[in-house]
Amino acid sequence: MTKKVAVIGGGIVGCITSFFLVEKGYEVTLVDQNAIGQEASWAGAGILSPLLPWNYQDTVNNLCFGSADFYKQLSETLKKDTGIDPEWIESGMLIYDIHEKNHAISWCQKNHIEIQEVQIEKIPYLLLPHVAQIRNPRLLKALKIYLTKNNVVMMEHQKVKPISDSNNFISSLHTESGMNLQADFYVVASGAWSSCILNEVEMPKIKPIRGQLIQYPSIKEKLPYILYKNDFYLIQRQDGVVLAGSTKEDVGFDKRITEEARKSLQMKAESIMPILKNYNIENQWSGLRPGSQDNVPMIERHHKYNNVYLNVGHYRYGLTMAPKAARIISDLITLNG
Ligand SMILES: Cc1cc2nc3c(=O)[nH]c(=O)nc-3n(C[C@H](O)[C@H](O)[C@H](O)COP(=O)(O)OP(=O)(O)OC[C@H]3O[C@@H](n4cnc5c(N)ncnc54)[C@H](O)[C@@H]3O)c2cc1C
């Protein structure tokens, strides 16, 4: 008999987990308290790499390696099957601050990542030519259609109540509107809200870290690469719009945008690319990252509930980590099912 999996959270982590589970033949229900794909995964910049990978632990990088290739193929499939192009582009990333040049170069060599020393107008930079980007709102829109076509049942606007049971096995979860979710396995992929679903006392806390971005309109000048300087980046989409980001704010579940962030991002953007002074900022938004210690997520079976799996806490790189993380969870479920 086909086994059932309920995935709690329809961000990129929940969507890609559903993608692999359906591929393996599970009957999948994807539940979200809002609409699918409207939280952090929608709000992000779509860069498919850690910003300066040499600054992160192997655990983080190992989850990120291969992600750009996965999304390249997925984009082609989604474009063909849904008509929506998620705009995967190998933009490359140009790095301005290169005080760690030697460390960066030797790390890249050791990990077989191409890195180049380049000079632009006599100023030295480092270039990671294979860093790619994807237009995440379009990716999620296309994934939602693709998953629906592939028999994933979408339950939107259904908030799942915290998990609690005296047994080691969960036979059903409940939503605030009184629905019962019965499945053989449950995957918690609830992003910044994961600690609200799990027992906060027993689990390391995943906490929301707000990130704000601003958007300039489509400009006629072309950015040759993603530009990175001092934890700040500029990224251009295919239609010419430019995003500048992002902030990292420990303000709880508060998604308000602020004037302070707008000014600070604008100042950084226009100092790197003065031509942007000729354009008005046309949009600003925020998302809540699922903050975890050192960006290390929890991708494992719950220590108490044998049929509950965690795919949470991907912090700054959830889009990039989602394919590997989802593969691990779907393999674990198969192994135990
Ligand atoms: C400004 C910004 C820039 C970023 N840039 C990048 C980048 O360039 N590259 C990159 O790799 N990452 C980036 N990130 C990080 C990335 O967006 C996140 O790590 C990733 O989106 C996390 O995915 P998720 O599916 O876990 O969370 P989310 O997308 O937040 O999804 C979680 C979902 O769970 C649902 N949910 C929560 N609780 C419940 C409940 N009780 N019942 C039902 N549903 C529930 C929520 O409604 C939500 O839809 C960025 C993030 C921000 C904010």
Side-chain angles (χ1 to χ4, degrees), residues 5-11 14 18 28-36 152-160 173 175 179 181 186-187 189-190:
V5 188
V7 178
I8 323 297
S18 302
V28 181
T29 302
L30 183 56
V31 195
D32 203 288
Q33 62 188 0
N34 294 319
I36 303 284
V152 172
V153 176
M154 302 278 174
M155 281 175 58
E156 298 186 289
H157 308 289
Q158 291 292 340
K159 183 171 181 176
V160 176
L173 290 180
T175 70
M179 288 183 78
L181 267 177
Y186 299 88
V187 179
S190 315

Side-chain angles (χ1 to χ4, degrees), residues 8-13 31-34 39-41 43-47 158-160 189-191 193 197 211 213 233 246 287 289-290 314-320:
I8 323 297
I12 192 64
V13 174
V31 195
D32 203 288
Q33 62 188 0
N34 294 319
E39 294 291 350
S41 305
I47 301 169
Q158 291 292 340
K159 183 171 181 176
V160 176
S190 315
W193 297 265
I197 291 209
L213 280 168
Y233 50 81
S246 57
R289 304 181 186 91
H314 307 75
Y315 196 8
R316 296 193 77 179
Y317 301 117
L319 177 69
T320 311

Side-chain angles (χ1 to χ4, degrees), residues 69-189:
D69 291 342
F70 171 87
Y71 281 114
K72 183 178 186 194
Q73 276 191 13
L74 179 64
S75 292
E76 281 159 17
T77 305
L78 293 176
K79 198 168 151 187
K80 200 155 55 96
D81 281 22
T82 70
I84 298 171
D85 180 2
E87 295 184 12
W88 183 97
I89 314 168
E90 192 176 67
S91 313
M93 184 160 71
L94 192 70
I95 299 160
Y96 280 56
D97 28 22
I98 54 171
H99 45 274
E100 291 173 331
K101 187 177 100 176
N102 293 339
H103 172 54
I105 292 173
S106 69
W107 185 91
C108 286
Q109 283 167 348
K110 194 173 136 223
N111 288 283
H112 312 290
I113 308 279
E114 188 176 335
I115 188 163
Q116 297 167 6
E117 290 184 79
V118 293
Q119 293 230 349
I120 301 173
E121 292 168 2
K122 298 199 175 139
I123 301 170
Y125 300 94
L126 287 174
L127 175 64
L128 292 170
H130 299 303
V131 169
Q133 63 159 295
I134 199 159
R135 199 157 182 169
N136 35 309
R138 291 189 188 186
L139 168 70
L140 286 150
K141 198 171 167 190
L143 261 174
K144 184 175 167 183
I145 297 172
Y146 179 90
L147 292 173
T148 308
K149 275 180 152 184
N150 284 276
N151 303 322
V152 172
V153 176
M154 302 278 174
M155 281 175 58
E156 298 186 289
H157 308 289
Q158 291 292 340
K159 183 171 181 176
V160 176
K161 287 184 177 175
I163 302 176
S164 78
D165 202 306
S166 49
N167 298 316
N168 291 340
F169 185 85
I170 298 289
S171 50
S172 76
L173 290 180
H174 309 280
T175 70
E176 285 194 344
S177 66
M179 288 183 78
N180 269 357
L181 267 177
Q182 284 185 326
D184 299 289
F185 304 101
Y186 299 88
V187 179
V188 179

